[in-house]
Amino acid sequence: MSTVLEATTEDFPIAGTFTISRGSKTTASVVTCRITADGSSGWGECVPYGRYNETIASVLAEIEAIRPQIEQGLTRPQLQSAMKPGAARNAIDSALWDLEAKKKGKSVHALACLSSPGTLTTAYTLSLAEPEEMRKLAAHYAHRALLKIKVGTSDDASRIRAVREGAPESRIILDANEGWTAETLAYHFAICAEQRIDLIEQPLPAGRDQALATIARPVPVCADESVHATGDLSALVDRYDAVNIKLDKTGGLTEALRMRDAAMSLGLKVMVGCMVGTSLGMAPAILVAQGADFVDLDGPLLLARDRTPGLRYEASLVFPPEPRLWG
């Protein structure tokens, strides 16, 4: 039977508004890729990200360009060199993993020679807001073991202190989204140490983060926008303590697993993160996140509506996907 690739777009409303230093949105727009062959179908999801010069249209165009090769039998290993890392490759890579699992009657973790995945403690993200609003949000979610706080303003100190006041016992990841400067690093680092922050994500803009190599880092610093795939890692070890692996950056599970192992071998801590997407987009990342130091796979929790079936979340825990969803 012939192989058929289909790509569609879907919109999922966000519960309220999701705000970071670069802007706000009320809808998660995703691209879903389905590949059908030999009576089986596999699917995957990606989230185009404007920060990386991606749009729904550009991602659909990338998928359309590779369609003839996929339908002629391009394999998942061959895909890694046929497409660049990014959201489009992620959707196809995830669909090919799912298709292979269904055709062979095996789980993706078995195909990848990984141990059976277990439950994970995931962060829950609080959007950027005024300090008092962030304090109230933190207090509301203080029962969660790990919170991720969006900052990147001219007054982050007030926001950091407000969140800690609201959630005195939670572990906290701070995400500056490239919003700090070299001149304010020492000040912000001191505040973070004072407020018992566990991790700081991407304080400086990608490509302008050299100051991190020459300043004391009392709190571990994690690369996000500065790192996409395995080839980026070696240049970062002097300025970062951890890396945030996202499938929409790596271009799928295949590269993400490779990148995780390479990061660990370099002595870097591993965080596995996500864009705001559905359970389908999170499912492959559950495999990468096994054994990670930090897990941030809360995308579906930020939505007003998820896929059915979706991932199972209980308190701060996220469970591996059911085969009906993916893998």
Side-chain angles (χ1 to χ4, degrees), residues 124-172:
Y124 183 83
T125 303
L126 302 186
S127 287
L128 180 63
E130 292 302 312
E132 179 57 20
E133 178 63 20
M134 294 186 77
R135 185 194 66 77
K136 291 178 181 178
L137 281 171
H140 182 75
Y141 292 105
H143 62 284
R144 292 190 173 273
L146 181 62
L147 295 175
K148 178 171 172 175
I149 310 301
K150 293 290 187 177
V151 292
T153 72
S154 59
D155 184 19
D156 283 342
S158 295
R159 289 168 169 81
I160 296 166
R161 288 178 172 133
V163 167
R164 176 50 78 197
E165 180 183 345
E169 303 302 324
S170 300
R171 298 175 67 203
I172 294 176

Side-chain angles (χ1 to χ4, degrees), residues 136-300:
K136 291 178 181 178
L137 281 171
H140 182 75
Y141 292 105
H143 62 284
R144 292 190 173 273
L146 181 62
L147 295 175
K148 178 171 172 175
I149 310 301
K150 293 290 187 177
V151 292
T153 72
S154 59
D155 184 19
D156 283 342
S158 295
R159 289 168 169 81
I160 296 166
R161 288 178 172 133
V163 167
R164 176 50 78 197
E165 180 183 345
E169 303 302 324
S170 300
R171 298 175 67 203
I172 294 176
I173 298 168
L174 206 69
D175 188 358
N177 281 120
E178 306 178 278
W180 293 353
T181 66
E183 291 72 28
T184 63
L185 270 184
Y187 170 73
H188 283 123
F189 281 179
I191 299 293
C192 288
E194 168 196 292
Q195 298 301 313
R196 297 178 287 115
I197 303 302
D198 278 62
L199 188 73
I200 303 167
E201 272 191 80
Q202 198 68 42
L204 299 180
R208 290 185 280 146
D209 53 6
Q210 297 87 348
L212 292 169
T214 58
I215 190 172
R217 301 192 296 268
V219 175
V221 177
C222 179
D224 184 1
E225 286 86 351
S226 286
V227 63
H228 293 254
T230 306
D232 301 328
L233 293 172
S234 60
L236 302 176
V237 293
D238 65 336
R239 61 197 70 181
Y240 291 99
D241 309 288
V243 293
N244 189 346
I245 299 174
K246 296 177 180 176
L247 271 65
D248 279 316
K249 292 191 301 180
T250 67
L253 174 63
T254 304
E255 173 64 13
L257 290 171
R258 178 171 169 254
M259 183 177 174
R260 180 193 65 181
D261 294 345
M264 289 179 173
S265 71
L266 289 170
L268 292 164
K269 293 181 181 296
V270 168
M271 177 179 180
V272 177
C274 65
M275 307 302 185
V276 182
T278 78
S279 286
L280 177 59
M282 307 302 117
I286 295 286
L287 301 185
V288 187
Q290 301 296 312
D293 300 281
F294 298 92
V295 178
D296 177 28
L297 296 177
D298 64 342

